[in-house]
Amino acid sequence: MNSTVRLTLITLALGLSACTVREPVEQPLPPIESVPPRPGPAVKPLPGSQPGTQPSKPAAIPKPMPRTSASFAPPPGGASHWDPKLGVYVLEKKPNTFYRQRTYYRYDGGWSWSLSPDGPWQETDSSGVPGGLGRAFAQ
């Protein structure tokens, strides 16, 4: 039995060593076809510019604010836009009035909330408003 195990181990070692000695054969890559260059449009300097000067960079276009949130529904029946920094909808026709999750928030020297944009308003502190609003109006 001992000789059978020994013979099996030697055969296995020789078989595996044959795999490690052989180097992989590299296949030649097909030649890359080159495309002849096409003549492009002629570039002419703008009138009034001086040759050799760098053209000025165009002004950056500001990214438009998103109108809605992916997570929160907009307020019913009112013109508003989503403010991602505040995390609320900003009502456009009512100053310092905000909306999120069926609740309106208003800042008028202090915070108050309501279920309607016209009130009745109940006073609260900054812990009773969404975090972005509390930080934006912190005193």
Side-chain angles (χ1 to χ4, degrees):
M1 169 104 172
N2 232 355
S3 63
T4 308
V5 172
R6 188 177 305 152
L7 183 61
T8 305
L9 286 174
I10 291 171
T11 307
L12 183 62
L14 286 173
L16 290 176
S17 67
C19 294
T20 59
V21 172
R22 187 178 233 188
E23 293 185 21
V25 178
E26 290 189 29
Q27 298 288 333
L29 297 174
I32 298 175
E33 295 181 24
S34 62
V35 178
R38 293 188 335 200
V43 179
K44 297 179 183 177
L46 294 173
S49 65
Q50 298 176 0
T53 59
Q54 293 283 339
S56 62
K57 293 184 179 181
I61 299 172
K63 186 176 178 183
M65 294 293 282
R67 298 298 298 169
T68 61
S69 162
S71 303
F72 302 107
S80 65
H81 67 273
W82 176 254
D83 187 327
K85 290 181 182 176
L86 299 177
V88 293
Y89 283 93
V90 178
L91 274 66
E92 294 177 1
K93 296 190 179 177
K94 295 188 178 276
N96 291 335
T97 306
F98 312 94
Y99 175 86
R100 188 166 102 179
Q101 292 180 315
R102 298 185 300 257
T103 305
Y104 293 87
Y105 303 96
R106 181 178 68 177
Y107 186 80
D108 188 19
W111 284 107
S112 55
W113 66 273
S114 175
L115 298 177
S116 166
D118 299 318
W121 295 95
Q122 297 185 8
E123 290 187 20
T124 187
D125 60 4
S126 62
S127 66
V129 299
L133 283 176
R135 287 187 296 276
F137 288 85
Q139 297 172 348

